[in-house]
Amino acid sequence: MKINNLRWWVILLIAIATVINYIDRSALSVLWPDIVEDIFPNETALERKQIYANISIVFILSYAFGQAIFGKIFDWIGTRLGFVLSIGVWSIATAAHAFAQGMLSFSIFRAILGVTEAGNWPGAAKSNADWFPTKERALAQGIFNSGAAIGGIISIPLIAYMTVYFSWQMVFVVIGLVGLLWLIPWIILVKAPPKSHPWITVAEREYILTGQRCTNADDAVDTQEYNPTTTELLSHKQSWGVIIASAAIDPIWWLFVFWIPIYLNEVYAMDVKSIGIYGWVPYVGAMLGAWFGGLLAQNRLKAGWDTNKTRKLTITLGCLIMLPSLLSMANPGGPTTAVMIMAVILFGFQTAIGNVQTLPSDLFGKKAVGTLAGFSGMAAKLGALGLTALVPYLTADGNYTPAFVIGASLAVIAIAAVWILIPRIEPVSPKSK
């Protein structure tokens, strides 16, 4: 049996996994107004916000650790088994939230969720490098990243709707089971990498392999690439450009992922059902941005631009879209205007991030991609941790302006890291430091 365009079916499955990933991680923030009334009824509003921030920090720390660990795991055991391990355990951890009784138990389950959900990103980066030629990687990454946005669009109204029929505990159980069901098509479809997959057509195999780093479709693909050790990898300034850009830009995304429901609840006094009406809108902008960033990069590469010019244009454009929008959140007016501005911010973020995440595969060989993606992902989550820890104090009076100003500053840092530390986005040589 042969399947046409098998690579697109693979990235579609990973995008669906990302949708599930975001439904699972978003459930806590959406359900939080109900959870606090059930488990934390006697705490003040500030104490509840600090509890939520502490649980979120545990998740981010675990996520950061998981990014580095799973980067290596995917390089060692490959994407097929890596995704089975990652999504299998995170789905069980999601369902286990139903048994949480306080901050400690929530933190334990969030820690397991964070470590294992982190595998989705280095796994996707490695799958992208394995299954796509260079000119299609930004589009493939955009499709994958749109899964995060679609997960945000779906999760907030879906979870709010589910609370009409289920307790918050049962919501966690149901969404955890969905992830386990995803394993079935993944195990069946992704039997091997493209050069040895029994269902891939000869034409598609040749198209993928010849569009990567050399024209030989056998083991020479691996041997002619530069696959540095971890120490060598970190000795290149290009690696630090990727790491710093990721650490700067990613906290902007997490600022909204963690705090959109809390922001709407605190600033506009919305309950869970009202949050379900408004909270999904920013993720529409994210979905469109993921597609736009991927298509723009692919269009420019087909027009004859080199990878360096294409990536830098798209990353810079995305950050410049975010910059004034973040500053305008200082006084957004009503909730409709606020979520529309958030949509523009997340559009800019996704325009940029898909191209930031392709940088490891633009710079190094496939055996080093997962490692660099893991390190940059870890740095990104540590940056998000710092901002998340500050939010309760920055917003203690209900004013979120300081958090948004910091977000705007981070967009500028991301641009600087790419332009200064990566003089040219092209395959790195062993002598390039």
Side-chain angles (χ1 to χ4, degrees):
M1 180 177 73
K2 299 294 183 181
I3 298 177
N4 292 323
N5 298 313
L6 182 61
R7 68 193 186 282
W8 296 109
W9 287 104
V10 172
I11 204 68
L12 177 62
L13 268 181
I14 296 173
I16 292 171
T18 310
V19 172
I20 297 169
N21 187 297
Y22 266 81
I23 291 174
D24 290 0
R25 78 174 58 180
S26 300
L28 181 68
S29 62
V30 178
L31 295 170
W32 189 248
D34 285 352
I35 292 171
V36 293
E37 293 300 328
D38 188 13
I39 296 182
F40 307 107
N42 299 319
E43 281 76 5
T44 66
L46 179 57
E47 288 171 339
R48 290 176 174 183
K49 191 187 292 186
Q50 288 172 329
I51 290 170
Y52 175 78
N54 290 338
I55 294 171
S56 299
I57 288 169
V58 169
F59 177 85
I60 297 175
L61 270 174
S62 304
Y63 200 100
F65 178 72
Q67 290 257 298
I69 292 297
F70 269 95
K72 282 291 187 183
I73 288 174
F74 274 93
D75 281 342
W76 289 335
I77 67 175
T79 54
R80 184 175 191 257
L81 293 179
F83 271 109
V84 170
L85 177 64
S86 177
I87 193 168
V89 177
W90 99 49
S91 298
I92 294 170
T94 298
H97 281 59
F99 303 99
Q101 298 294 318
M103 187 170 73
L104 177 60
S105 50
F106 267 120
S107 297
I108 291 171
F109 297 138
R110 296 303 280 184
I112 299 171
L113 183 71
V115 169
T116 49
E117 278 202 336
N120 204 57
W121 269 257
K126 184 169 178 61
S127 294
N128 196 348
D130 287 343
W131 281 91
F132 287 88
T134 301
K135 66 182 180 181
E136 288 184 347
R137 286 177 183 169
L139 178 58
Q141 195 74 24
I143 292 172
F144 153 68
N145 279 333
S146 71
I150 294 169
I153 294 169
I154 293 173
S155 64
I156 294 179
L158 175 64
I159 292 168
Y161 179 75
M162 290 176 69
T163 61
V164 175
Y165 301 98
F166 301 113
S167 65
W168 63 264
Q169 293 95 334
M170 185 54 64
V171 172
F172 280 116
V173 172
V174 171
I175 61 179
L177 290 175
V178 172
L180 295 176
L181 292 175
W182 178 92
L183 292 173
I184 298 172
W186 176 260
I187 292 171
I188 293 172
L189 185 67
V190 186
K191 296 179 179 295
K195 65 182 177 182
S196 58
H197 199 292
W199 293 350
I200 193 170
T201 65
V202 173
E204 185 175 14
R205 178 185 288 115
E206 291 302 309
Y207 176 72
I208 292 170
L209 296 176
T210 57
Q212 294 177 346
R213 294 186 183 274
C214 68
T215 58
N216 189 355
D218 55 28
D219 291 341
V221 173
D222 292 329
T223 59
Q224 292 185 18
E225 293 175 340
Y226 177 42
N227 294 291
T229 65
T230 300
T231 300
E232 291 170 342
L233 185 75
L234 296 177
S235 70
H236 293 280
K237 65 182 179 182
Q238 291 92 335
S239 298
W240 287 102
V242 177
I243 291 168
I244 293 172
S246 300
I249 196 171
D250 214 49
I252 300 171
W253 174 256
W254 289 85
L255 175 64
F256 292 93
V257 169
F258 279 148
W259 295 99
I260 284 176
I262 311 301
Y263 172 88
L264 294 174
N265 175 254
E266 183 175 9
V267 176
Y268 298 107
M270 293 186 183
D271 59 15
V272 171
K273 296 176 182 61
S274 298
I275 290 169
I277 296 172
Y278 283 90
W280 60 273
V281 174
Y283 293 100
V284 175
M287 178 182 66
L288 296 175
W291 294 342
F292 173 75
L295 289 170
L296 175 62
Q298 179 171 280
N299 175 270
R300 293 299 83 204
L301 288 169
K302 285 185 175 180
W305 287 23
D306 62 15
T307 303
N308 177 67
K309 186 176 180 180
T310 299
R311 297 283 186 254
K312 286 182 176 177
L313 165 76
T314 313
I315 293 168
T316 303
L317 176 62
C319 290
L320 292 179
I321 290 171
M322 285 191 287
L323 188 57
S325 304
L326 281 160
L327 295 175
S328 69
M329 282 298 296
N331 185 23
T336 301
T337 304
V339 295
M340 292 299 291
I341 295 173
M342 291 180 193
V344 175
I345 294 168
L346 296 189
F347 177 92
F349 174 86
Q350 288 290 354
T351 296
I353 194 63
N355 285 267
V356 171
Q357 290 172 339
T358 64
L359 292 176
S361 60
D362 292 329
L363 297 170
F364 295 100
K366 288 192 290 295
K367 291 183 179 179
V369 169
T371 301
L372 181 54
F375 276 116
S376 60
M378 181 176 68
K381 302 312 168 286
L382 292 175
L385 183 152
L387 186 55
T388 301
L390 288 173
V391 166
Y393 304 99
L394 294 172
T395 65
D397 58 354
N399 179 12
Y400 281 72
T401 299
F404 295 128
V405 171
I406 290 175
S409 302
L410 291 172
V412 175
I413 293 171
I415 295 174
V418 170
W419 281 88
I420 295 172
L421 294 176
I422 314 178
R424 284 199 59 79
I425 298 172
E426 61 186 5
V428 175
S429 66
K431 296 180 180 180
S432 176
K433 299 291 185 181

